[in-house]
Amino acid sequence: MKHAFDVPFELIELQKFDYALEGVSFQQLIRMPNAVYASTSDSAEATAYLSVEDFLHATVKGLWEAFWSQDEPMPFSIACLYKENLKFYQAENAIASGRLGSLCASGVLLKNPRHPHGKWDNLLELALLRPDIQSLSMESEQQNSLLVLGEALFYALRMLISRSLSRQNFSLGSNFAYVLLVDSQYGGVVKVEGDASKMDFDMNNVYKCAAEWIQRHARIAVSPVDRIWNKLGNANWGDIGALQVTFATFHCIMQFVGLPKHSIEDLAADHGCRLQTRRLERQLGDTRVNGGSLFKFQQHSVSPEIVEVQDESVKLESESLKLEVGSVLWLDDSNWERGYQINQIRSNGELPYYIASPVEDPGKSLFLYVGSHPSQLEPAWEDMNLWYLVQRQTKVLTIMKQKGLSSKYLPQVSASGRIIHPGQCRRPSSGGNCDHPWCGTPILVTSPVGETVADMVSEGHFGVDDAIRCCHDCLSALSTASSEGIRHGDIRPENVICVRSGESHPYFVLIGWGHAILEDRDRPAMNLHFSSTYALQEGKLCSASDAESLVYMLYFACGGVFPDLDSVEGELQWRETSWSRRLIQQKLGDVSPVLKAFADYVDSLCGTPYHMDYDIWLRRFKRSIREEDHGKEIDASI
C-alpha cells in the first residue's frame, strides 16, 4: 500500500510552493472537532462538515487573492454533496433541513447562477470527510484503505466523464481530477488522470467498464497522508499535509480559470529577501569561512533575560514626520522618478503641507502634500484627515481632469504617486509594501501656489477688491465643477488661495477638494462656522450649499465676527437670527452692493430645490472687478 501508487507532487514542487506562500495569510478557521474528544452525536459531525467547508473556502480565497486577483471577486463557491440526488447544497442549509446523514463530501464549484445546486462539470475538486484517513498509510488497515480509495476513484471518474461531455473550455485540459481525503487530523490527495472518451460503455455493466478504463487508460497518484489539523483542531497551514491539499486546489483553480497573474516562481523568488530579513532580525551573519555553512549565530555578551530594544523602524517613522526646509523627497510617478525640495512649511489649520520646487526646475513653486503610511490609517482621526488631503483629493482632481474640467481657478495635479524611500525596496511582486516605514506613503503635488485667505485676513491684506474678485473666482470654480455634478463641500479661508505670480492681476483658486461630493453617499466636511445650514442639519449638500459657505467665508474675511459657539444648535440659532435681521447682508453691503445682492440671492435660495444660476452672478461680479487697464481686453481663450 505504501508504494503502490506514484505521488501527485514531487517534494521540490511542494518546497517551491511553500516559498511562494510565505507572504500569503490564510484565514483563521473554526476548529475541526477532534475525533478523540468529540462526541458521537450529530452535532459533532455537523461541525466537522462546516469546518471542512470553511477550510476549503479559506484555501480557495487565499490562493485567488495571492495568485490571481485581489480586486476581482472570487468566482467560486463551496457546497456539500447530497448523495441521494448527487446535488450540492450549502452545509448550513442541508443540516438545518435534516439532510446531515446523507451528506457525503464537500466540493469547490465554479459559481453558476443558473444552477444553484451545482453542475458536475463546474466542480473543481471534491473533499471526502471520512473517519480515519490515516489508515491509508497503515498496512494493517488495507480493507478500509481500499474502500476509501475506491470511493475517491468513483467520484473522480464521475468528474472526468462530466467534463468530457461539457462544452466548457478547460484551460489546462479536462483529463485530470483531484479528490481530497480528510478526517479530523489528517489529509491526503488522490489524482486521477486519463481520457474519459476512451471508455467503452456497456449499459448492462457500467462498473466493469469503469474498472477496465482505470486499468487501461488511467493514471492514479496518491499522496502520503499527513497531518492538516493539530490536536486542538487548528489548521497548520505550513505543514506538508495542508500544503499538499492547497497545492491540489491551486492546480484545480488553474484548470478552470487559466494561468495566474503571479506565478509560483515570482512569489517564491522573494524567499531570499525574506530569509535575509529574518537573518538580520535574528542577528545571523555570513561566515564566509572556507565556503562552509551559509551563516552562523553571532554570540553577544548579554543577559539571557528578555531585554527591551528600540525598534529602528519606529525611529525612522518618526523621522519621516519631521520634514524640514531643504529636505528633498523623491516621488515615483508612473515609473518616473521626480525630486522635490521643500522650501516652506505651511498648515491648513489642521495639517502641515509644503511649498516645494522640482529638482530640475528650482525656480518653480508647487504645493506638496505628504500622506500617511497605509498601515497607520485605521485608528487616528488625524490620519483620516491626511487621507482626505492626499489620496481623496488626488482621486477628485484626477476625475476632474479626466472629465475635461479646466479652469485657472481650479488646482491642477502636477504629480502624484508614492514616496521613494532610502535603501532597497523589497516590495512583493504581488503588490503591497515592504517593511520600510516610508514604503507606500502617498504624495500629491499641485499648482498653482498662493497665499491663503486665512493668512491674508490675519495680516490685514484682504481688501474690498479682493472680496469681489474672490467671490467671482470661487463661483467660477464652483460653476465649472458643478457642470459635472461635483461639489466642493469644504469651503473655508484655508481652502482659498490668492495667486499673484504669472498674471497681471492676482486671482483666487479654490483648493482642498478632498471632501468633494462625487456621489450621493459622499459626506461633506463639518465646520461650525463655514459649513452650510443644510450640511449641518442633514449631513449632505443641496444645490446652494457651496454658495452659502462662500458667503460665510466672505463675511469672515470682510471683518464679520462669529460668536464663540461649540454646538450645532447654537450655530444654527445664530444663523437664523443673523439672516432674519439681515446682519450678514449689511456687513457685506458695507464692502460692495454686489456682495450684498449676492448674499440676498443665496438667502432666498437656501432650503429650496432650485439650482444656482452661476452665469448671471459671474457676469455681475465681472462688471464690478476693477481693472488697472480700462482699455480693450483680449480673451486668450479664443
Side-chain angles (χ1 to χ4, degrees):
M1 288 301 299
K2 289 184 178 179
H3 308 288
F5 301 103
D6 293 331
V7 294
F9 312 119
E10 298 296 335
L11 189 60
I12 188 66
E13 292 181 292
L14 291 173
Q15 187 177 37
K16 186 183 293 186
F17 188 60
D18 183 33
Y19 288 162
L21 293 182
E22 279 182 333
V24 180
S25 59
F26 288 95
Q27 177 185 348
Q28 179 62 40
L29 301 172
I30 299 174
R31 291 175 178 175
M32 166 67 84
N34 191 295
V36 177
Y37 300 105
S39 67
T40 57
S41 65
D42 287 347
S43 61
E45 190 175 355
T47 308
Y49 272 107
L50 292 172
S51 298
V52 171
E53 210 174 64
D54 286 344
F55 177 78
L56 292 176
H57 182 273
T59 303
V60 174
K61 186 175 186 293
L63 292 174
W64 176 259
E65 293 179 351
F67 290 93
W68 277 271
S69 176
Q70 288 186 330
D71 302 322
E72 299 176 15
M74 185 180 71
F76 310 111
S77 62
I78 315 298
C80 284
L81 180 63
Y82 187 57
K83 65 183 178 184
E84 293 185 6
N85 59 10
L86 291 180
K87 292 184 178 181
F88 293 88
Y89 301 85
Q90 296 295 317
E92 193 174 46
N93 297 337
I95 294 168
S97 59
R99 296 176 178 175
L100 174 62
S102 296
L103 297 181
C104 59
S106 300
V108 181
L109 295 141
L110 195 65
K111 288 181 180 178
N112 190 339
R114 297 178 60 186
H115 298 276
H117 295 300
K119 291 182 63 182
W120 275 82
D121 57 332
N122 287 336
L123 180 64
L124 277 71
E125 68 178 358
L126 205 63
L128 304 181
L129 176 62
R130 296 298 177 264
D132 193 5
I133 296 301
Q134 191 183 12
S135 63
L136 281 173
S137 60
M138 300 169 62
E139 292 185 8
S140 60
E141 297 289 345
Q142 289 190 15
Q143 189 63 32
N144 289 340
S145 302
L146 291 175
L147 288 174
V148 174
L149 282 177
E151 193 176 10
L153 292 179
F154 168 79
Y155 287 117
L157 183 55
R158 183 179 178 90
M159 292 163 66
L160 292 175
I161 293 174
S162 299
R163 293 174 187 179
S164 69
L165 300 175
S166 174
R167 296 181 180 179
Q168 183 171 315
N169 181 31
F170 295 87
S171 177
L172 301 183
S174 59
N175 291 343
F176 66 89
Y178 287 94
V179 176
L180 311 180
L181 307 175
V182 296
D183 62 15
S184 61
Q185 294 184 52
Y186 297 89
V189 177
V190 176
K191 179 183 179 183
V192 180
E193 187 173 2
D195 187 356
S197 64
K198 294 181 179 180
M199 183 182 296
D200 296 324
F201 282 102
D202 181 358
M203 297 301 295
N204 296 319
N205 199 339
V206 292
Y207 289 101
K208 182 180 179 181
C209 297
E212 291 177 352
W213 178 85
I214 290 174
Q215 289 176 337
R216 296 176 183 177
H217 303 290
R219 182 186 173 203
I220 301 170
V222 181
S223 75
V225 173
D226 215 303
R227 186 181 291 276
I228 295 179
W229 288 276
N230 60 28
K231 290 185 177 181
L232 293 176
N234 297 316
N236 290 332
W237 288 106
D239 286 359
I240 193 169
L243 202 60
Q244 290 178 145
V245 170
T246 306
F247 200 31
T249 307
F250 174 83
H251 282 284
C252 292
I253 296 176
M254 195 160 53
Q255 185 180 18
F256 274 73
V257 300
L259 296 174
K261 294 179 182 178
H262 309 289
S263 67
I264 292 177
E265 289 73 15
D266 290 341
L267 297 186
D270 292 332
H271 170 70
C273 296
R274 291 189 289 263
L275 184 61
Q276 184 63 27
T277 301
R278 289 199 296 270
R279 288 177 184 172
L280 294 175
E281 290 173 351
R282 290 158 178 77
Q283 297 180 332
L284 298 173
D286 190 357
T287 59
R288 303 181 186 274
V289 178
N290 299 325
S293 61
L294 289 177
F295 53 86
K296 68 178 182 180
F297 186 79
Q298 297 176 345
Q299 296 289 341
H300 295 271
S301 57
V302 296
S303 166
E305 307 255 277
I306 296 175
V307 180
E308 181 180 357
V309 297
Q310 178 65 40
D311 188 351
E312 294 181 2
S313 64
V314 175
K315 289 185 193 175
L316 193 57
E317 186 176 327
S318 62
E319 291 173 5
S320 68
L321 301 177
K322 297 179 180 178
L323 297 174
E324 299 176 350
V325 173
S327 301
V328 176
L329 292 182
W330 288 90
L331 171 68
D332 183 5
D333 180 15
S334 301
N335 298 320
W336 181 267
E337 295 184 4
R338 304 185 182 188
Y340 296 92
Q341 182 173 13
I342 295 175
N343 300 325
Q344 296 181 38
I345 301 176
R346 293 191 176 183
S347 173
N348 67 354
E350 297 173 344
L351 300 168
Y353 64 100
Y354 310 91
I355 295 180
S357 298
V359 172
E360 67 276 7
D361 187 5
K364 186 177 182 180
S365 293
L366 300 166
F367 278 142
L368 187 146
Y369 305 92
V370 179
S372 184
H373 189 274
S375 65
Q376 303 170 358
L377 284 179
E378 294 83 6
W381 176 249
E382 177 182 345
D383 287 327
M384 281 308 301
N385 287 339
L386 271 177
W387 181 83
Y388 279 107
L389 184 69
V390 183
Q391 287 102 311
R392 183 60 167 35
Q393 185 170 205
T394 301
K395 173 185 176 181
V396 173
L397 294 181
T398 302
I399 289 175
M400 292 169 70
K401 182 177 180 180
Q402 291 171 349
K403 291 180 177 292
L405 301 181
S406 178
S407 170
K408 76 174 186 177
Y409 309 118
L410 291 172
Q412 303 295 321
V413 176
S414 295
S416 65
R418 299 289 185 264
I419 192 173
I420 301 175
H421 59 74
Q424 182 180 1
C425 183
R426 298 186 177 93
R427 181 179 301 175
S429 58
S430 58
N433 304 308
C434 73
D435 55 0
H436 195 286
W438 292 5
C439 189
T441 300
I443 296 178
L444 170 64
V445 183
T446 67
S447 63
V449 168
E451 183 183 17
T452 66
V453 169
D455 291 338
M456 294 176 68
V457 172
S458 64
E459 296 173 7
H461 295 164
F462 195 86
V464 175
D465 293 340
D466 293 319
I468 299 173
R469 187 179 292 274
C470 178
C471 192
H472 169 273
D473 296 351
C474 289
L475 282 179
S476 181
L478 294 175
S479 175
T480 303
S482 67
S483 64
E484 289 293 340
I486 301 174
R487 296 169 183 169
H488 189 279
D490 191 21
I491 296 178
R492 51 193 171 96
E494 293 81 7
N495 281 339
V496 180
I497 60 172
C498 180
V499 181
R500 302 183 185 278
S501 61
E503 295 282 339
S504 57
H505 302 285
Y507 64 96
F508 291 83
V509 176
L510 185 56
I511 63 173
W513 288 83
H515 286 276
I517 308 302
L518 302 178
E519 49 191 22
D520 291 340
R521 66 180 180 178
D522 295 333
R523 292 294 177 262
M526 290 299 161
N527 187 298
L528 278 181
H529 293 324
F530 302 108
S531 290
S532 68
T533 302
Y534 195 77
L536 292 178
Q537 289 175 330
E538 305 294 335
K540 53 187 177 180
L541 302 187
C542 65
S543 60
S545 289
D546 281 337
E548 184 182 354
S549 295
L550 180 59
V551 168
Y552 297 139
M553 191 197 75
L554 293 171
Y555 170 79
F556 164 78
C558 294
V561 178
F562 291 107
D564 188 11
L565 300 171
D566 58 359
S567 68
V568 173
E569 292 77 10
E571 177 65 27
L572 294 176
Q573 185 177 2
W574 176 84
R575 290 184 182 184
E576 183 179 0
T577 303
S578 299
W579 283 113
S580 62
R581 296 180 180 178
R582 300 178 58 80
L583 299 179
I584 296 174
Q585 293 95 318
Q586 290 174 14
K587 185 65 180 179
L588 293 178
D590 293 339
V591 178
S592 168
V594 70
L595 285 177
K596 180 180 180 182
F598 178 68
D600 277 327
Y601 171 75
V602 172
D603 182 30
S604 67
L605 199 62
C606 288
T608 71
Y610 303 113
H611 293 286
M612 279 283 301
D613 188 347
Y614 290 102
D615 292 338
I616 185 173
W617 288 102
L618 287 174
R619 289 195 296 269
R620 293 188 65 177
F621 277 105
K622 186 68 175 177
R623 289 196 298 266
S624 300
I625 293 176
R626 299 177 183 177
E627 305 287 357
E628 294 178 3
D629 182 8
H630 296 283
K632 293 183 178 179
E633 181 180 354
I634 298 175
D635 189 346
S637 64
I638 298 178

